[in-house]
Amino acid sequence: MTGVSSSPDRPDAPQHRAQRALLRAGDHDAFGRLFADHADEVFSLALRLTGLRAVAEDVTSEVYLVAWRRRHTVELSDLPLRSWLLAIAARQAMNATRGIRRRRSFLHSGRARPGVVADFADETAGRLDDARLLERTRAAMAALTRPELEVVTLCVWSELTYAEAAEALGVPVGTVRSRLNRARRRLRTLTAGPDPAPTPPSTRPAPAPTNPRGHR
Amino acid sequence: MTAPEQTLHDLLPAPVTTSPTAPERDRIEARLREGLRHQARREQRATAWRERAGAVAAPGVVLACLGAVVTLTVLVAGSPAPESGSAQRVRPVVAAPLAVQVLDRASRNAARRDVTPPAPGELLYARSIVRSNEGRYGGPVQLAGRHVREIWLSQEDGPTQDLGLIREFGQDWPIRSGGPVPAGPARPTYGYLASLPTDPDELLDALESQLAPWDDARTRDQVVFDQIASLMGEVAAPPDVTAALFQALTRIPGVQVEAGARDLLGRPGVGLTRTDGVFLTRDVLILDPRTGEVIGTRSYMDGPQGETLYGATALVQRGTARRAGEPPVPPADAPRATSAAGRA
């Protein structure tokens, strides 16, 4: 049990619960709203993990298909459906890369795959700092285990709370915390290596999630 | 942002992305619509399949061979399942509260698992470590030592006589039936399981409508529990169906949790059980709490001196094989620890 079924301090909790109940009952409008509100964010998450826009497209459709098929397993909790959806997205994106062994080639020999770089390079305006950052990010992602990358994706990039991530992943909150700690330790070891990143990463603003938290 | 995320954000900044462009979004929507249509067709086919299966009866001889828990003959008459996506009646959750918690979690974890359906022509393979009662009928229980049991189960959905193979005690025991048996509740292939509803209430309706008459004194609840248990061990089902099976168990009175259950190899899990009030026996399904996967079983009978263990298993390997008796095909993907073994 995750022990995370309600958070009375959230004013929008009853709305989340209602949305969950509607989706669980197979309400088409509720599903449509889920798509309208979060498809962009799901796509971004998939693109971050897969590095290829075409794959991110496929993953986004697949995420919503899986969400529809699993609507019966939605828990009637007070947490936003967004976290449940993003957890599906993280897993589907990792599956997509794993299934075609793209993750490995993407992460370990990105330079040999011009398509991968090109997809991101478009976004990053070809600045040298961005290219370095991308290179470093790719190496860092490769250093993490799948469960670690999963919680980093959800808690750091998509800014889910521990409780949201825990419920969405079906693990205790402490597990989320310890995975994040492990990820941090691993990444520190990596950056302490012989070739430290030249760019101070904090100068780069985090891309804002396409939807603010709590938005339905 | 709290400290760990702040650091992590510096260590691993999110790759910059943009939203999908209009054409990308159109393609995403088109693919999703196509997928949803396909899904709807699949649900319709499942309904039609149930009605068709209702017309065929199968001999019960086979069932004894299928091992552990299968005790039912195939349905005699199917009843049309609800057509729409909404359950005709919503059943109350009646299992013991702790069991409901465990089942909810198992259901969620099962829904997240990756299950690769067997390829056409492949058989389902499972390898178990088993201790069974070798005592005489009517005599005291004599648990024999551990041995390995391997089973290959045909996934042919059409009627067939060659149902698979059991390798046990150094011998091969082909599973052959007297007549062709279609896939169904008594021969739960992946295809049959994929045809079941994924709504727990509809699923229970479907399973109950498919129950064959049973000639022993078990209660209806026990028979349904046994049937669901038989759909979870050495079989493979789509994740959403397994998730619904766990949810369906919460609607059966008397389902209980046994904390601290261990399989035959001592691997810890969560036990799910229901005492059969007539024969005073009970089977415990032992689940890996993280994956919702069945890792083993235990069987007890109640007597004057208390409960006696009369059988136990540990499922150690699952997979698919191209032919009965052949070793399982290595997964096409990167090698992955079996989820029963877990990640340390």
Side-chain angles (χ1 to χ4, degrees):
Chain A
M1 292 345 82
T2 58
V4 191
S5 54
S6 69
S7 19
D9 51 336
R10 273 181 179 278
D12 41 3
Q15 288 169 347
H16 293 319
R17 185 171 282 261
Q19 287 303 310
R20 283 172 174 256
L22 281 173
L23 181 64
R24 209 171 137 140
D27 185 278
H28 287 210
D29 291 342
F31 184 71
R33 265 197 303 280
L34 198 64
F35 185 81
D37 289 350
H38 301 300
D40 286 1
E41 207 180 353
V42 168
F43 178 85
S44 292
L45 187 153
L47 181 53
R48 282 172 185 159
L49 285 175
T50 63
L52 290 171
R53 298 189 74 93
V55 179
E57 256 181 49
D58 284 349
V59 168
T60 305
S61 311
E62 189 58 29
V63 164
Y64 278 95
L65 204 52
V66 169
W68 178 249
R69 278 172 39 210
R70 296 187 186 168
R71 61 193 186 276
H72 308 300
T73 66
V74 168
E75 255 197 313
L76 291 181
S77 78
D78 293 339
L79 299 174
L81 270 173
R82 172 179 175 261
S83 47
W84 175 77
L85 188 70
L86 291 182
I88 296 178
R91 209 150 287 195
Q92 289 295 322
M94 289 185 183
N95 283 353
T97 49
R98 187 194 63 176
I100 50 184
R101 292 181 183 278
R102 191 171 282 149
R103 176 162 176 246
R104 174 167 288 180
S105 46
F106 162 55
L107 294 169
H108 293 296
S109 57
R111 259 163 292 191
R113 297 182 61 86
V116 174
V117 176
D119 272 2
F120 274 138
D122 289 344
E123 331 279 0
T124 53
R127 284 174 42 192
L128 183 62
D129 283 359
D130 289 331
R132 278 199 191 123
L133 187 65
L134 175 62
E135 190 66 24
R136 210 186 57 146
T137 300
R138 204 182 294 145
M141 284 167 72
L144 298 182
T145 66
R146 199 175 136 119
E148 287 162 5
L149 184 55
E150 190 170 61
V151 291
V152 168
T153 304
L154 294 176
C155 293
V156 184
W157 294 351
S158 295
E159 300 189 315
L160 299 195
T161 64
Y162 290 168
E164 286 168 351
E167 189 209 44
L169 296 172
V171 300
V173 177
T175 305
V176 171
R177 203 172 284 133
S178 64
R179 281 180 193 168
L180 283 171
N181 281 333
R182 272 206 307 274
R184 192 179 36 173
R185 268 202 305 277
R186 236 187 261 276
L187 291 173
R188 281 219 172 113
T189 317
L190 191 76
T191 45
D195 184 18
T199 316
S202 51
T203 59
R204 173 126 219 112
T210 39
N211 279 307
R213 319 214 6 225
H215 177 82
R216 287 184 301 111
Chain B
M1 199 184 273
T2 52
E5 287 94 331
Q6 187 57 61
T7 325
L8 272 166
H9 205 282
D10 293 342
L11 289 167
L12 186 48
V16 181
T17 61
T18 53
S19 300
T21 60
E24 281 173 339
R25 208 180 157 95
D26 287 348
R27 283 196 296 269
I28 291 169
E29 281 194 44
R31 230 171 276 142
L32 176 59
R33 268 195 300 275
E34 175 54 34
L36 290 170
R37 264 197 300 275
H38 181 79
Q39 175 79 10
R41 277 199 300 272
R42 200 185 76 129
E43 283 166 14
Q44 279 164 7
R45 268 204 309 274
T47 307
W49 194 95
R50 280 194 294 276
E51 283 164 0
R52 205 167 56 239
V56 191
V61 199
V62 193
L63 305 170
C65 310
L66 288 183
V69 267
V70 183
T71 46
L72 300 176
T73 49
V74 105
L75 59 151
V76 175
S79 64
E83 294 289 331
S84 75
S86 64
Q88 285 184 323
R89 61 190 166 123
V90 176
R91 299 165 191 245
V93 169
V94 291
L98 186 59
V100 173
Q101 283 190 350
V102 167
L103 287 163
D104 272 345
R105 183 168 174 207
S107 172
R108 271 180 285 133
N109 291 347
R112 277 190 285 264
R113 220 168 70 206
D114 304 323
V115 174
T116 314
E122 281 186 346
L123 293 90
L124 218 54
Y125 171 84
R127 180 185 175 89
S128 307
I129 312 295
V130 179
R131 286 189 76 183
S132 49
N133 180 12
E134 303 299 326
R136 286 198 199 165
Y137 184 73
V141 170
Q142 290 177 5
L143 268 186
R146 292 175 184 183
H147 67 268
V148 175
R149 168 188 147 102
E150 294 173 280
I151 187 167
W152 289 259
L153 289 172
S154 163
Q155 297 299 298
E156 169 63 48
D157 286 321
T160 178
Q161 279 183 278
D162 292 310
L163 306 186
L165 177 74
I166 294 176
R167 183 170 292 164
E168 199 172 15
F169 307 117
Q171 276 188 52
D172 282 357
W173 313 77
I175 313 171
R176 277 185 67 84
S177 65
V181 189
R187 190 164 80 73
T189 59
Y190 186 91
Y192 163 74
L193 282 155
S195 78
L196 290 172
T198 54
D199 173 87
D201 295 309
E202 287 176 36
L203 176 62
L204 266 182
D205 289 342
L207 292 178
E208 287 188 350
S209 74
Q210 296 173 6
L211 284 184
W214 58 100
D215 54 6
D216 53 51
R218 285 176 301 161
T219 59
R220 186 180 185 81
D221 287 335
Q222 184 65 38
V223 172
V224 175
F225 177 84
D226 289 346
Q227 174 63 8
I228 291 179
S230 77
L231 300 180
M232 290 186 154
E234 294 169 329
V235 301
D240 46 354
V241 172
T242 307
L245 285 169
F246 281 121
Q247 290 292 341
L249 284 175
T250 64
R251 274 83 162 161
I252 300 177
V255 174
Q256 294 193 311
V257 154
E258 199 172 272
R262 287 177 181 272
D263 72 3
L264 183 55
L265 296 178
R267 296 178 300 185
V270 180
L272 278 178
T273 188
R274 189 178 189 284
T275 302
D276 178 344
V278 177
F279 295 113
L280 297 178
T281 59
R282 66 188 182 98
D283 290 324
V284 185
L285 279 180
I286 301 162
L287 310 178
D288 180 335
R290 286 164 307 182
T291 61
E293 217 170 3
V294 174
I295 58 170
T297 60
R298 280 180 184 272
S299 302
Y300 294 96
M301 60 174 83
D302 208 0
Q305 286 90 36
E307 279 196 328
T308 312
L309 182 73
Y310 73 93
T313 67
L315 231 167
V316 291
Q317 192 186 358
R318 299 163 187 271
T320 57
R322 296 212 173 84
R323 301 164 80 99
E326 284 188 0
V329 184
D333 212 328
R336 198 158 56 110
T338 65
S339 50
R343 196 183 284 121

